[in-house]
Structures are given as C-alpha cells and as structure tokens.
Amino acid sequence: MEEGGVNVIDLTQADESFVKELEALGADELRECIQCGKCGATCPMALAGLEFFIKRIVHAANLGLRDILLEDSSVWGCQSCNRCVEICPMDIKPYEVIQAIRRAAMKVESCPANTYEGLRNLYRFGHAVYPKGYEERRKKVGLPDKPPTVISNDEMRKKFQEILRNTILEEIAPFPLD
Amino acid sequence: MKKIGFFLGCNIPFNRPDIEYSARYLLNELGYEIVELEGASCCPAFGTMPSLDLVGWAAASAWNLTIAEEKGVDIITGCGSCYGSLNEARYHMEKHPEIKEQVNKILAKVDKEYKGTTKVWNFINFLYEDVGLDTLKAKIKNNLNGIKCAVQTGCHNLWPSRAYPTNEDNTFFPTRLREICESIGGVAPHYSTITDCCGMGALRSTASEKSLALFKKKLDVIKQEIDPDIAVTGCSSCLLQFDAGQALLIEQKKLDYKIPALHIAQLAAIAMGADPEKATAMASIPLNGVITKIKGGN
Ligand code: SF4
Ligand code: SF4
C-alpha cells in the first residue's frame, strides 16, 4: 500500500452502500460534515505531510469511495489523538470515521501487517506490545522478571482469551484462536 | 492509607520498566498503597480491538476495569494510550447502555460484571488533583534546582475531553504539567508547539520518516524558544519518541543537539529521593548533567 496520492477523490466511484456500512460501523454523524477543514488543521497526519489526511478521508467516506479508502494506508497512520473530535464544529467525530474505515478494511483483510502482529500478541500474551528481553530490563531496576499482569497468570490469560473469542475477533482473526 | 490500582499496560513494564520503578517509588513516597491489578492485559491498544469493533474494544477494556472494581480501587496509568483507551471505552459504555449490556454478556462467560465504578487517572491529573501541588511540594527531598523543563502532556491525556473525568481548563493550552514541574522546583515555560503531536504511535509505524520529521520540527521549536535542560512527558509513548526517537535522529545525523527526556513519574520520583540510576536506567539520551544539577540543589 502506498501513502495517499493527491487525486484520490473520484466522484464516478461514489458508492452509497459503503457510506451506509461506515455509518453502521460507528461513523454515524458522517453526513453532517461541512468540509470546513478544521479537523485537518489540527491533524498530526496532515502536519506530517500525509496527503490523504482526515478532511479528505471524511470527504471520501461521505462519497463511499470504497476502493481508495480500503487501499490507502493513511487511515492506519492515524494517531487516535482525537484532536479532530475535539475541534469539529459539527460533532462528526472524524476519528470514529477512521475507526469505521479500519473496521471495514479488517473485514476484507486490507490492513498493514503490523496490525496483525499487535492483534496476535494481544491474543496470545494479553499484550499487544510484547518485546523480547524485557526480563533483563526489569531485573536492572530491581523488579520481578515478569510484571503482575496477565503474562504471569495463566488462569486469567485464558479468561481474557475467552473474552476475545466472544468478540468479532473470532470471525475475522487471520490466525487461529486456540 | 489511600489505595490506588497501578495499571501497567505494555510499554512501561516491558520497554521502560524504569518508569514502573519510578512510579512505584513515587506513589509509595506520596503515601499510597499500590494495589496490583493481577491479570490485567493490554488496554487494548488503538490499533488492535478498537480498530476491529466497538463492543470488542469495550469488552477488553472492561476486563481490565472489572479487576480494579473488584478490588474497590481507582486506576492510575503512565501510558497515554492506556489512559485514552480505558477512558474512551468507559465513556462509550456509559453513554450507550446497550454496549454495556453486550459487554456484560461477554464478561458473564468468565463470571465478571462491569459496573462502571472505577475512575482512570493519569499521572498529571493524579498529582495535580488527588495528591495536590502543596503536598507534592511538601514531600520534596531533591529540589529540581531550577532546571528548565519542556513539557509534553501527550494527546491522549487531553482529548477527547468528553471522555475524561478531569482535564485542563483549555486543552489547547495545557498548564498542569508545567505547574507540577514548577512545584517540585523546576522552571517550565510555555512554548508555541506545546500541544503538537510527538509523532509516536501509528504514524511512526506507518510513515516512520514523516513521524520523525514531525518530531524534529517540534524539537527544533523547543530548542529555539526555550532551550531546556530536559523534556518531561506525561505519556510513556511520548517518552519513547523523545528519548529513543531522538537518539535515532542523532544517529541519522539529522539532529545536532540533545535534550534528555523523562516521564513525569521519573522526574517526580527523583525529586522524592528515588535512585536516579534505577529511575533512568533505560534512557538512551544520558541524564548525568541533569541529575548533577538536581543534586546540587540540596
Ligand atoms: S472538522 Fe468536522 S465538519 Fe469540518 S471538515 Fe472535519 S469532519 Fe467535516
Ligand atoms: S485522531 Fe487521527 S484523524 Fe483525528 S486528528 Fe488525530 S491523527 Fe488526525
């Protein structure tokens, strides 16, 4: 996947059914957007130079431009910082539009590889970030090898996994949940 | 003795246990009994369950919240993502009873129930409100001796303000972390990019160069406007960017100065007498100069 190009808005590709899908996935105020651009003015993605940033993503979402939204990696560069939610005068909750697009992309396995890594770690270890060699680092500051989280409690880890198996992860995880 | 549940998350216990050491030391010094949240998991991180499904996200967060509820304690976390994910999940469940209901159906399978009685704190708001600046000041062992701090509150510690039980008066002009640094003897001026994002997180994984360039721009402004002795963050992910990310910029010869960085839990712990070696054990940018300055203060 490439970072967003400039000419991403193509009206001939508009697809109303995708707008409805996004609304159902959490972007429920999407249609009220007035394209004022305030979200883009505070968005770190825009400040960092991603061309397909939040204002344009909301625009594309409103048109139901399924292909570009699912293919472009920009939505995965969102920091979940919620500046856009704070500032939007129409209460669109633009971050939730991003989440809706991600949720749609996950269903068709159109997301970056590191997303799966985080999910797999979350399921297997109970921790999305689970780097090697942490025992040594902890020893250095006089802490026990393992923190008192799910990683040192098998019974709790299994219960946490059972919770995850009862979510949508069961349907769409691209790895076995055993 | 007041009790508080310490929510560790992932980055703090695994990548920066020096923050964990510091936080434990600090809370004890301030007179809190730390309650371990045995079996707590990842918050979950925004790129995982929240990007899959709202109910799945809320269920995973609720798992963590119920552990604290059962022990009758509030939660404190040093990680902005944990603060955001747990509080946002909490907010969604409070606002939409049908989500809470669905979550409780899932939790029932492991004999748990989410009630919504636990509050989730970050270190900034906890020190500012629950501890209070006067108490903090009264407990200092090593005054910061006027070291100049550039503060980085961190996105998730500010927005979306609707999800947080307490916050800055103006989230686009945060002052609480500055006041905390000053109450323990530092100087913490405002600077123009104070609310700019550090670039860590999804942006760093998706567009690494752009993320680091965004961070460098922020550092340059900090250097030019206030030329601090240290950067102080309210979020462990910001700290990873300010410390290891900065070291990377230096290694790539894109930066020709250094600003050492600490999480506020580390800096406050040092002010309360923690062993500076342990409190800064994983830092990539050396803090010797800063520690010497602080030590000269007493
Ligand atoms: S701030 Fe809100 S209304 Fe304005 S462009 Fe962004 S989403 Fe649309
Ligand atoms: S939450 Fe995402 S889209 Fe919104 S301002 Fe932050 S980075 Fe931009």
Side-chain angles (χ1 to χ4, degrees), chain A residues 3 25 42 44-45 47-50 73-74 76-83 85-87 91 93 95-96 99 102-103 106 112 114-115 118-119 122 126-131 133-134 136-138 140-143 147-151 153 156-157 159-160 162-164 166-169 172, chain B residues 8-11 13-15 17-18 20-21 24 36-42 44-54 56-57 59-60 63 67 88 92 106-107 109-110 112 155-156 158-162 171-172 195-197 199-207 210 214 278 281-282:
Chain A
E3 279 163 30
L25 288 169
T42 56
M45 283 199 277
L47 293 177
L50 264 65
S73 66
S74 302
W76 299 97
C78 162
Q79 295 283 59
S80 309
C81 73
N82 281 288
R83 283 176 176 83
V85 174
E86 196 74 17
I87 207 104
D91 208 13
K93 295 165 284 177
Y95 170 59
E96 292 182 22
Q99 290 293 56
R102 286 182 176 182
R103 289 165 189 164
M106 283 295 227
N114 63 347
T115 314
L119 269 178
L122 179 70
H127 289 284
V129 175
Y130 191 65
Y134 66 83
E136 282 309 308
R137 287 191 282 277
R138 295 181 59 79
K140 212 172 153 189
V141 295
L143 289 169
T149 65
V150 71
I151 201 65
N153 190 326
M156 292 292 267
R157 191 170 54 89
K159 284 187 178 175
F160 181 62
E162 188 171 347
I163 287 177
L164 293 182
N166 278 284
T167 69
I168 199 169
L169 189 66
I172 61 178
Chain B
L8 295 168
C10 305
N11 270 316
F14 298 132
N15 278 321
D18 48 349
E20 181 179 335
Y21 160 81
R24 289 179 183 279
E36 303 296 347
L37 303 174
E38 287 120 356
S41 64
C42 171
F46 287 105
T48 63
M49 294 308 290
S51 298
L52 242 65
D53 177 52
L54 181 53
W57 167 14
W63 161 261
I67 294 174
E88 284 176 52
H92 285 299
I106 297 175
L107 291 183
K109 308 214 184 240
V110 294
K112 297 257 182 195
C155 322
H156 302 293
L158 296 166
W159 309 292
S161 58
R162 69 184 83 181
T171 59
F172 289 99
T195 57
D196 278 17
C197 177
M200 193 60 193
L203 189 62
R204 177 78 186 272
S205 346
T206 309
K210 286 191 163 78
L214 186 74
K278 281 188 182 164
M282 272 83 224

Side-chain angles (χ1 to χ4, degrees), chain B residues 83-155:
Chain B
Y83 184 68
S85 179
L86 292 171
N87 268 310
E88 284 176 52
R90 205 176 175 280
Y91 171 80
H92 285 299
M93 287 188 280
E94 224 169 73
K95 207 168 160 230
H96 306 283
E98 69 280 9
I99 291 172
K100 188 171 162 188
E101 213 171 283
Q102 282 172 272
V103 164
N104 272 328
K105 269 193 198 137
I106 297 175
L107 291 183
K109 308 214 184 240
V110 294
D111 298 318
K112 297 257 182 195
E113 189 195 350
Y114 172 74
K115 298 192 184 77
T117 50
T118 284
K119 192 168 166 180
V120 183
W121 293 91
N122 60 19
F123 274 86
I124 297 176
N125 293 331
F126 189 77
L127 292 175
Y128 194 84
E129 272 180 16
D130 208 75
V131 176
L133 298 186
D134 290 339
T135 308
L136 201 58
K137 207 180 263 177
K139 300 223 170 181
I140 298 176
K141 295 207 178 99
N142 298 314
N143 186 294
L144 292 190
N145 201 21
I147 61 163
K148 200 190 279 175
C149 309
V151 308
Q152 166 78 7
T153 298
C155 322

Side-chain angles (χ1 to χ4, degrees), chain B residues 234-263:
Chain B
C235 161
S236 50
S237 295
C238 296
L239 183 71
L240 292 175
Q241 185 83 324
F242 269 83
D243 184 53
Q246 191 184 157
L248 194 62
L249 281 171
I250 293 167
E251 192 189 304
Q252 295 171 347
K253 307 220 177 322
K254 289 178 181 156
L255 203 68
D256 56 7
Y257 57 86
K258 276 185 192 145
I259 304 173
L262 290 179
H263 188 284

